[in-house]
Amino acid sequence: MKEININFDRSELNLKEILSYSDKVKNIHDKMEKFETEGSSFLGWKDLPNNINNKELDRMEAIAKKLHKDGVETLVVIGIGGSYLGVRAGIDFVLGELPGDEQKMEIIFVGESLSSTALVQKLRYVENKKFAINVISKSGTTLEPAIAFRLFKKMLEDKVGVNNAKDYIFATTDASKGVLLDLAMQKGYERFIIPDDVGGRFSVLTPVGLFPFACVGLNIKKMVAGAKLANDAYSSNNLGTNPAYQYAVARYLLHSQRKYPVEMLVSYENAHKYFLEWWKQLFAESEGKNGKALLPHSALFTTDLHSLGQIIQEGSKVLFETVITVKKPKYDIKIIELAQDEDLDKLNYLAGKTVHEINNIAFEATLDAHSLVGRVPNIHIQIEDYSEETFGSLVMFFERAVAISGYLLEINPFNQPGVEVYKSNMFKTLKKPM
């Protein structure tokens, strides 16, 4: 397994304090395993890596290869929330910001907002490209992706004809009900199933993420294998040996006892930008109920040190940091030494060091500044690399953690009733037929 190491030395907590919750965590875990907890009908994610059908993975890979062979340049992924963030997070995590030839197919994401400008620009962008569509929605009625799908489907049908368009439209949806399922069956679209017992923010290791990952050239079998090994490791009820559960207890203690209202997840890698966004949705939707929970925030260092660093260091003591660093970068490069008369930027003192080494030194310097001088608690998570296995492992780490964390707060981590209020108000104003 790609190891995930967690360190609480700068967190204001000690392991003894965390382990004092062993009995409580064991009780929650054991009830989850028996499906006796509130929201247990949405616990399908916890054993998902062990239950994924290899034939289904083969089917996704075969379709992706066919699209490559057919010369499809761009896959338009239509979805919002969990149908968007996890997909984008995984692609960027493994491939980085500018993957070049490593990426087998371009992906653009639409239906993730109601910005008319963004939508029109994306329509124009694919107008003269050979593109396919993967629309992701359990119901097919979520407004943002539904609007986008109507427009992109029409463009594709106008380009290649209605009969041919069905070969380039893929619906990831519910197995037995919903508007999108009905449409897919009527039109003959290839379908992928979102399991009934897996909520959107937990769905990245279902076809929601796996099919687009296969299209861009990620090794989805390695990703699932990494997730499976991690799930085996983090499904222990022994708090002393389960770092995912230790993290859950630590953040609970920093919130409930130390009274920090905000957790800032930090990474020193640009490729993690959308992983941070996925994490924010995972924890915000899972825990933000009944007037409870930490506010999940995020930052990319060292970039955001030049904008947020001052307030983190010396502002109101409202947050603690959980920092992710990478042991082995995807790529690294050394600082070259110039002749003395060419050393006009005065960087020769760095010659021979790699940029990743310097990034790590920046992390250590910031950790000292924030925790020792600024008195900001820090939890440090170190991951191995940028690989598919590591991504799968980290997904399971945080999914396991958020379940325990939610139950420690005595809320149901698997519903999101508050999200429905704005939708109801919006549809009422729009006079949506009932």
Side-chain angles (χ1 to χ4, degrees):
M1 185 183 90
K2 299 287 187 175
E3 197 169 359
I4 296 173
N5 295 309
I6 189 163
N7 188 304
F8 300 106
D9 289 349
R10 304 290 185 87
S11 68
E12 292 187 4
L13 302 169
N14 58 59
L15 195 56
K16 183 178 179 182
E17 189 175 1
I18 293 170
L19 294 182
S20 70
Y21 276 72
S22 290
D23 289 345
K24 193 163 190 174
V25 167
K26 182 179 184 301
N27 183 50
I28 293 169
H29 171 92
D30 290 349
K31 284 185 175 179
M32 282 173 57
E33 291 303 303
K34 295 174 185 175
F35 295 89
E36 294 175 352
T37 51
E38 189 178 8
S40 60
S41 59
F42 282 94
L43 282 172
W45 57 270
K46 75 179 180 62
D47 297 313
L48 186 65
N50 304 66
N51 296 331
I52 291 174
N53 188 323
N54 278 328
K55 288 183 179 179
E56 185 70 354
L57 298 180
D58 290 339
R59 182 167 78 98
M60 292 181 213
E61 290 178 334
I63 293 170
K65 286 178 182 175
K66 183 178 184 302
L67 293 175
H68 299 157
K69 188 176 179 181
D70 285 353
V72 172
E73 302 168 80
T74 304
L75 180 67
V76 177
V77 173
I78 302 175
I80 196 168
S83 301
Y84 156 66
L85 287 172
V87 185
R88 188 156 191 179
I91 293 168
D92 285 6
F93 186 103
V94 177
L95 296 179
E97 287 185 294
L98 298 169
D101 292 343
E102 209 179 348
Q103 185 167 321
K104 303 298 182 187
M105 187 186 296
E106 178 189 38
I107 294 253
I108 68 164
F109 296 93
V110 303
E112 83 290 21
S113 79
L114 285 171
S115 167
S116 57
T117 298
L119 187 57
V120 170
Q121 288 180 329
K122 290 171 183 178
L123 283 162
R124 288 175 179 170
Y125 182 76
V126 299
E127 190 173 13
N128 296 314
K129 291 178 177 287
K130 187 167 186 178
F131 69 92
I133 296 171
N134 178 204
V135 55
I136 305 169
S137 177
K138 264 194 173 181
S139 65
T141 59
T142 304
L143 194 60
E144 295 91 337
I147 288 172
F149 183 45
R150 173 177 284 210
L151 295 171
F152 277 87
K153 177 169 73 73
K154 179 66 164 58
M155 176 180 278
L156 183 62
E157 289 173 347
D158 288 346
K159 280 172 67 73
V160 302
V162 173
N163 289 333
N164 291 329
K166 68 180 176 58
D167 297 328
Y168 296 98
I169 298 176
F170 305 89
T172 305
T173 191
D174 192 89
S176 59
K177 62 184 183 299
V179 170
L180 181 56
L181 175 66
D182 293 344
L183 178 62
M185 292 180 70
Q186 180 184 337
K187 297 287 188 179
Y189 303 151
E190 189 88 35
R191 286 172 295 155
F192 302 105
I193 302 304
I194 307 171
D196 286 339
D197 56 359
V198 178
R201 58 189 174 276
F202 292 85
S203 66
V204 64
L205 296 176
T206 73
V208 167
L210 295 176
F211 177 62
F213 292 158
C215 287
V216 300
L218 301 191
N219 189 320
I220 56 176
K221 288 177 180 172
K222 285 185 177 180
M223 188 177 287
V224 170
K228 182 181 184 303
L229 289 171
N231 196 46
D232 292 344
Y234 305 139
S235 61
S236 165
N237 65 9
N238 183 350
L239 183 58
T241 60
N242 192 327
Y245 289 0
Q246 289 173 15
Y247 166 67
V249 172
R251 65 192 304 276
Y252 172 75
L253 290 172
L254 285 165
H255 178 42
S256 63
Q257 294 189 9
R258 301 303 200 273
K259 303 304 179 184
Y260 290 101
V262 179
E263 178 181 14
M264 176 181 279
L265 187 67
V266 174
S267 174
Y268 282 73
E269 298 292 332
N270 289 21
H272 293 173
K273 177 180 178 180
Y274 278 94
F275 187 86
L276 303 183
E277 296 299 316
W278 171 82
W279 173 88
K280 283 193 286 192
Q281 185 198 3
L282 181 69
F283 279 84
E285 276 197 349
S286 296
E287 294 188 330
K289 297 151 203 174
N290 303 338
K292 298 182 179 182
L294 286 155
L295 172 66
H297 188 33
S298 65
L300 277 174
F301 289 173
T302 58
T303 302
D304 289 334
L305 287 174
H306 294 261
S307 57
L308 299 176
Q310 176 64 38
I311 196 169
I312 295 169
Q313 182 77 29
E314 296 184 0
S316 301
K317 299 307 171 191
V318 297
L319 65 84
F320 68 91
E321 294 172 290
T322 298
V323 184
I324 299 175
T325 62
V326 179
K327 191 174 180 181
K328 299 172 187 173
K330 190 173 184 67
Y331 303 109
D332 204 1
I333 189 168
K334 282 187 177 183
I335 307 298
I336 58 173
E337 184 170 11
L338 300 178
Q340 190 170 352
D341 61 343
E342 293 291 327
D343 184 30
L344 302 177
D345 52 13
K346 306 301 180 186
L347 290 181
N348 269 356
Y349 76 99
L350 297 175
K353 287 185 170 62
T354 72
V355 173
H356 188 65
E357 285 179 81
I358 297 168
N359 202 22
N360 277 336
I361 290 167
F363 154 66
E364 291 164 3
T366 305
L367 179 64
D368 284 347
H370 287 187
S371 64
L372 300 180
V373 181
R375 310 308 302 173
V376 178
N378 267 250
I379 298 169
H380 177 209
I381 296 172
Q382 186 185 59
I383 61 175
E384 187 72 16
D385 53 29
Y386 273 73
S387 67
E388 290 95 336
E389 296 97 322
T390 293
F391 178 77
S393 295
L394 201 56
V395 165
M396 292 312 302
F397 176 93
F398 282 120
E399 289 184 350
R400 280 278 174 182
V402 78
I404 295 296
S405 187
Y407 287 130
L408 285 171
L409 288 171
E410 299 181 343
I411 53 97
N412 175 2
F414 305 113
N415 64 357
Q416 54 280 337
V419 174
E420 303 307 316
V421 177
Y422 95 86
K423 293 181 183 178
S424 176
N425 292 344
M426 178 175 63
F427 288 137
K428 184 178 179 180
T429 303
L430 291 170
K431 296 181 172 57
K432 179 183 177 181
M434 299 303 291

